[in-house]
Amino acid sequence: MTTRRGALAGLATLLAAPAVLAQPAWTPSRPLRMFVTYPPGGVTDIVGRISADALGQELGQPVVVENRAGAGGNVGMQAALAAPADGTTLLLGTVAMFGVNPILYANSGVDGVRDFVPLGMLGEAANVLSAIPTRLDVRSVAALVAEAKRRTLTYGSVGNGSSSHLSAVLLLKSQGIEATHVPYRGSAPLVTAMLSKEVDFGFDTTATSTAHVQSGAFRALGVTTARRASSLPEVPTMQEAGLAGYALSVWFGVFAPAATPAAPRARLAEAVARIQTPALAEKLRRAFVDPLTVPPAELPGWFAADAARWQQVARDAGIGLN
């Protein structure tokens, strides 16, 4: 049985071999399938279709997107595992599937680190910490923290254990404050609640927050990523706002089943690297996603460290469904 450590070590060896990447011996002879674990129309689906189109042109075969939503990505992961591991099966991976799901769905039978290997990162979105000005008149993270020490605040998220929930947990834990959590069933209900002034503040991605920040309905206090979001360049990072070490990225990447042979893996990893062009970057930015490139030799360690960071935040929050 392949272990997490063995899978990562094997990937490191593969990606660190320039000769293998320089002269790929495999090309797909039929269309590829990319499993996207969220419904059509959302940011994950958009990123999947942008990358599928680019990979299809690079590989000389169509890459067909298949949406398999449910259980925070586990349904799509299971579908990808059941498909042939011959190089024609891809998974559009998100941070939730590898960083949060192992805590939320501990008995699902799917282990992202064990069962899949990362071929390359595509982009990242920030969660935006937004206050509702007419309910909580603060203009900085420090002011929000000070207010939370004076009275009990209420915050919303897109659901228990979601990246927006854990972004808030890290804020509260790092500052030694408490607030009442109100989980909603996705971004649309959360945005509606925030616009209706049901909560004092909330975290949600740049994709759903940017327009409301620009309109003045939300007041953005910080973004969770280590760098500023291109869609909200005037908003500081949480680190810039005074929270040392705070960095949580909602990332997207391309994965393959761990059972995929070495030659297809190498060719697919090369293809993911080659599609990282200015044209792709501009398409991602239009979807409120900033390009994210991780050097192949650093990818296994980067992936493992980021997953571990999210899992620790989830453990600190005492989150779990089974």
Side-chain angles (χ1 to χ4, degrees):
M1 178 180 295
T2 303
T3 65
R4 286 173 179 242
R5 182 176 298 177
L8 290 174
L11 179 63
T13 300
L14 170 67
L15 294 179
V20 175
L21 288 178
Q23 298 180 353
W26 177 87
T27 55
S29 59
R30 57 188 175 85
L32 291 78
R33 302 160 73 191
M34 176 181 283
F35 290 90
V36 172
T37 59
Y38 289 88
V43 63
T44 304
D45 178 64
I46 292 170
V47 172
R49 292 179 188 277
I50 289 172
S51 59
D53 181 64
L55 284 170
Q57 295 181 46
E58 169 64 27
L59 293 168
Q61 287 285 354
V63 178
V64 180
V65 169
E66 294 194 18
N67 297 91
R68 301 290 184 91
N74 282 351
V75 171
M77 294 173 76
Q78 290 166 346
L81 279 180
D86 59 359
T88 63
T89 299
L90 300 173
L91 177 74
L92 195 283
T94 69
V95 65
M97 295 154 55
F98 299 93
V100 180
N101 279 10
I103 306 300
L104 278 174
Y105 304 95
N107 300 318
S108 69
V110 180
D111 185 316
V113 174
R114 180 194 67 203
D115 297 331
F116 292 90
V117 291
L119 302 172
M121 293 296 116
L122 295 169
E124 65 176 356
N127 274 322
V128 184
L129 167 57
S130 297
I132 309 306
T134 52
R135 178 169 167 139
L136 179 64
D137 188 16
V138 297
R139 298 179 180 275
S140 67
V141 175
L144 184 151
V145 171
E147 189 66 18
K149 291 180 178 179
R150 284 192 290 268
R151 62 185 177 93
T152 301
L153 300 181
T154 303
Y155 72 94
S157 78
V158 304
N160 184 50
S162 64
S163 69
S164 70
H165 179 202
L166 297 184
S167 294
V169 167
L170 184 56
L171 165 65
L172 300 177
K173 182 177 176 62
S174 68
Q175 300 305 296
I177 57 177
E178 296 182 356
T180 301
H181 177 214
V182 182
Y184 293 89
R185 293 183 177 273
S187 288
L190 171 61
V191 168
T192 299
M194 293 174 70
L195 291 173
S196 301
K197 307 171 190 175
E198 294 179 13
V199 295
D200 295 305
F201 68 94
F203 282 85
D204 204 2
T205 66
T206 44
T208 49
S209 300
T210 298
H212 299 296
V213 171
Q214 292 172 341
S215 75
F218 296 174
R219 180 175 291 147
L221 306 179
V223 295
T224 61
T225 41
R227 56 178 175 168
R228 294 194 180 196
S230 62
S231 64
L232 294 169
E234 73 285 358
V235 179
T237 67
M238 299 293 279
Q239 292 187 49
E240 290 173 329
L243 279 67
Y246 189 116
L248 291 176
S249 167
V250 182
W251 51 256
F252 306 88
V254 181
F255 291 74
T260 304
R265 281 198 214 178
R267 177 66 181 104
L268 293 170
E270 179 193 57
V272 174
R274 289 175 64 88
I275 67 171
Q276 308 283 341
T277 64
L280 183 83
E282 181 56 31
K283 290 179 180 179
L284 291 172
R285 290 192 184 99
R286 288 201 294 266
F288 304 102
V289 174
D290 286 319
L292 175 64
T293 301
V294 179
E298 298 175 14
L299 184 56
W302 182 94
F303 169 63
D306 193 81
R309 182 182 302 113
W310 279 99
Q311 289 173 27
Q312 187 58 55
V313 177
R315 291 190 187 96
D316 288 345
I319 292 169
L321 295 182
N322 58 31

